[in-house]
Amino acid sequence: MEVAILGCYAATPTTSHRPTSQVLSIGNHLFLIDCGEGTQTQLRRQKIKFSRIKHIFISHLHGDHFYGLIGLIATFGLLDRKTPLHIYGPKGIKEIITLQLKLSKSWTGFPLYFHELEQKTPEIIFQDDKVSVETIPLDHRVYTNGFLFKEALGDRKLLIDKVDEYQIDVAYYKSIKKGKDVPDNNGNLIANKLLTAPPPPPKSYAFCSDTAFKPELATQLKNTSVLYHEATFLERHKHLCEKTKHTTAKQAATLAKMAAVKKLILGHYSTRYGSIEVFKQEAEQVFPEVLLAEDGKKFKFD
Amino acid sequence: MEVAILGCYAATPTTSHRPTSQVLSIGNHLFLIDCGEGTQTQLRRQKIKFSRIKHIFISHLHGDHFYGLIGLIATFGLLDRKTPLHIYGPKGIKEIITLQLKLSKSWTGFPLYFHELEQKTPEIIFQDDKVSVETIPLDHRVYTNGFLFKEALGDRKLLIDKVDEYQIDVAYYKSIKKGKDVPDNNGNLIANKLLTAPPPPPKSYAFCSDTAFKPELATQLKNTSVLYHEATFLERHKHLCEKTKHTTAKQAATLAKMAAVKKLILGHYSTRYGSIEVFKQEAEQVFPEVLLAEDGKKFKFD
């Protein structure tokens, strides 16, 4: 599991700060999460192959989270993409994109599917045999979802010494990995647990931006491997969080602790602070495993 | 008169090529012409004060000419702008912008005026005592206008030796500059031409992008000081011009010659050619005064 941060600052793009966008690599997928202005240029800079992006998740319809989407779709079209593209985002996103495609007489040459979200409780919006994605309803000034990406439980690990010892035919290996009990050469049923070890624990990634501090998320986020959570402000500007429905670094860390996640990545920083190190310092008072998102940075989780 | 090229390449933004946008400084105005993705970052890079931009002209609704507009408007809002903003562009632009502002619940705190264009013959769309702007109907795949910016004829130049010689009271100076005949101290009417020199010839700037070669523009563009004209392709790709409604460097130069403009700036290059010098070489075969637009370049015309 790997996440590439394309942009992680709040509000407007500047020469040194890019709005929210990131690419999560999980279960053979590249998922694009949010798509602020300039995302397509950042994808090129990080040499991420456009055609591998088949699913885009948009948290909410504030510009710093989706103004780069129409340009990315148009570029896919110009590059003669044929691969289908799925867009998950708040109701309204389809109208915004299709209106612009219509007025530019530039229909895409690839299938474009919109999955518009309206529900205020978690729902599974994507699932295959490798990974599932569910919404995390957030508390912001407009309808907003975070997204929880979970690897599916993998196959059980075949213990090759044991299958030799019990004289199991190679034809049964696939069934054994799937957890089945299988017969030995004499027709005796051998319990699966004698032949396998449990699969590695599945990893998970939660993206929570933008939102006011929402401690009740701890239940849904329980034991998540990595939580990316917005930390727009520090505690000394907590009053701005209340007004704008954002979170402080300390509040993000509090949620990380409550949910017992393994790692916390902070991002969506206000540019009012000279350095982003202050967010880490504040969060570490509550929760030790804090990482700082930075534009262009990649995190790998083994 | 000065023009700052923010971006001058066709199609999609990349790490090294920016889509169309430029700022024309004429008659005390800063006019923003087209607004591809990333324009607000380019404005910051060139240290152009956002608040001085009061009029934005959009040629057509292809993404590489306007996808940066919604982000720029949103940023103006976040920066607490109060100054009115006027947007001139094809019918539909108002719906695109207002739909996005509505869905993000982010109405601007400044007056936003849309001047939607539908006419297929030239029309004056802005005029004050310093400058006028008229549309240049172009021939592209969607409804497209270029824009012709013309300085108004300035005041006549007061010849201070002459007004002294004819003993004209200082109270008449303003009238003299406006071309009036005025009395001397003895009440004799003195012809204006004895007291003044003609004003400097007014400068003009024509922006023509995107368009197929349209030689009949020569009449409207006659004697324009500076013509910015798209040159997406070279002659060897003329067949692509016909299909996509673009112009070759040679065709742009032919129009410049026919219209007897003083300078031609080429831009909107396809990125298929290794160097943009080839556009200049081709155009100079027809017209000598060729300049090449480049992202970040400024041209000053005295």
Side-chain angles (χ1 to χ4, degrees), chain B residues 134-162:
Chain B
E134 62 187 60
T135 57
I136 308 169
L138 298 177
D139 176 16
H140 196 42
R141 305 193 304 278
V142 292
Y143 175 75
T144 304
N145 287 296
F147 302 102
L148 177 55
F149 302 83
K150 288 179 180 170
E151 282 180 354
L153 192 67
D155 286 349
R156 292 184 68 84
K157 196 166 176 280
L158 193 80
L159 300 170
I160 200 75
D161 290 353
K162 293 292 176 185

Side-chain angles (χ1 to χ4, degrees), chain B:
Chain B
M1 189 172 80
E2 201 174 297
V3 62
I5 307 293
L6 306 181
C8 63
Y9 284 85
T12 64
T14 69
T15 52
S16 51
H17 302 107
R18 299 189 174 82
T20 302
S21 185
Q22 47 185 257
V23 176
L24 176 69
S25 171
I26 188 172
N28 279 341
H29 290 283
L30 277 195
F31 292 127
L32 181 65
I33 310 168
D34 279 350
C35 191
E37 186 173 348
T39 294
Q40 58 176 311
T41 312
Q42 283 292 86
L43 285 168
R44 286 181 191 271
R45 198 166 278 130
Q46 299 223 10
K47 302 194 192 318
I48 293 168
K49 231 180 144 189
F50 284 8
S51 60
R52 284 208 54 209
I53 295 171
K54 293 170 190 162
H55 303 270
I56 302 178
F57 299 86
I58 301 294
S59 61
H60 66 299
L61 296 182
H62 280 160
D64 54 333
H65 294 256
F66 87 99
Y67 283 167
L69 181 59
I70 178 65
L72 185 62
I73 291 171
T75 295
F76 284 165
L78 286 169
L79 296 176
D80 210 19
R81 178 187 176 113
K82 297 291 172 219
T83 321
L85 181 67
H86 295 264
I87 304 200
Y88 308 78
K91 187 164 171 57
I93 197 156
K94 181 177 177 175
E95 190 184 354
I96 289 173
I97 300 300
T98 52
L99 173 65
Q100 293 183 83
L101 294 175
K102 186 186 81 179
L103 286 168
S104 65
K105 295 186 186 165
S106 313
W107 293 108
T108 61
F110 56 90
L112 184 58
Y113 299 106
F114 289 93
H115 306 263
E116 291 198 314
L117 308 174
E118 294 182 86
Q119 199 166 301
K120 288 177 180 172
T121 50
E123 60 177 322
I124 290 177
I125 53 175
F126 174 82
Q127 189 157 35
D128 67 6
D129 57 341
K130 298 277 186 198
V131 65
S132 68
V133 186
E134 62 187 60
T135 57
I136 308 169
L138 298 177
D139 176 16
H140 196 42
R141 305 193 304 278
V142 292
Y143 175 75
T144 304
N145 287 296
F147 302 102
L148 177 55
F149 302 83
K150 288 179 180 170
E151 282 180 354
L153 192 67
D155 286 349
R156 292 184 68 84
K157 196 166 176 280
L158 193 80
L159 300 170
I160 200 75
D161 290 353
K162 293 292 176 185
V163 291
D164 282 353
E165 185 188 325
Y166 283 99
Q167 300 189 320
I168 310 285
D169 193 279
V170 71
Y172 289 112
Y173 285 9
K174 207 170 172 183
S175 304
I176 296 169
K177 287 184 192 169
K178 296 291 174 202
K180 298 264 168 65
D181 300 337
V182 293
D184 64 11
N185 283 347
N186 303 318
N188 304 313
L189 206 60
I190 309 298
N192 187 279
K193 66 180 176 184
L194 297 172
L195 304 172
T196 62
K203 286 188 277 293
S204 52
Y205 182 83
F207 172 90
C208 294
S209 184
D210 298 357
T211 187
F213 178 43
K214 203 178 170 188
E216 58 269 38
L217 291 181
T219 314
Q220 192 186 359
L221 299 180
K222 201 76 191 173
N223 297 323
T224 296
S225 316
V226 181
L227 167 62
Y228 175 95
H229 199 286
E230 73 131 290
T232 308
F233 298 109
L234 296 178
E235 280 289 303
R236 68 174 189 267
H237 291 115
K238 206 171 171 176
H239 58 288
L240 293 178
C241 285
E242 280 148 27
K243 192 177 143 197
T244 60
K245 298 236 175 191
H246 282 300
T247 306
T248 68
K250 191 178 172 187
Q251 289 171 333
T254 303
L255 177 62
K257 188 182 176 183
M258 289 171 68
V261 306
K262 288 189 191 60
K263 303 267 184 195
L264 169 65
I265 306 178
L266 297 180
H268 202 264
Y269 318 111
S270 160
T271 54
R272 75 186 57 215
Y273 308 101
S275 146
I276 58 171
E277 275 302 316
V278 288
F279 291 94
K280 190 166 194 268
Q281 286 158 15
E282 184 173 289
E284 280 179 344
Q285 291 167 18
V286 176
F287 182 80
E289 293 293 334
V290 180
L291 301 166
L292 290 176
E294 283 182 58
D295 298 352
K297 197 166 176 178
K298 277 186 189 169
F299 297 98
K300 194 164 180 155
F301 304 100
D302 292 320

Side-chain angles (χ1 to χ4, degrees), chain A residues 202-221:
Chain A
K203 288 188 276 292
S204 53
Y205 182 82
F207 171 89
C208 294
S209 184
D210 298 358
T211 187
F213 178 44
K214 202 177 169 189
E216 57 270 39
L217 291 182
T219 314
Q220 191 185 1
L221 300 180

Side-chain angles (χ1 to χ4, degrees), chain A residues 10 209-211 229-234 241 244-249 267-273 279:
Chain A
S209 184
D210 298 358
T211 187
H229 200 286
E230 74 130 288
T232 309
F233 298 109
L234 297 178
C241 285
T244 61
K245 298 237 177 189
H246 282 300
T247 305
T248 68
H268 202 266
Y269 319 111
S270 160
T271 54
R272 75 186 57 214
Y273 308 102
F279 291 94

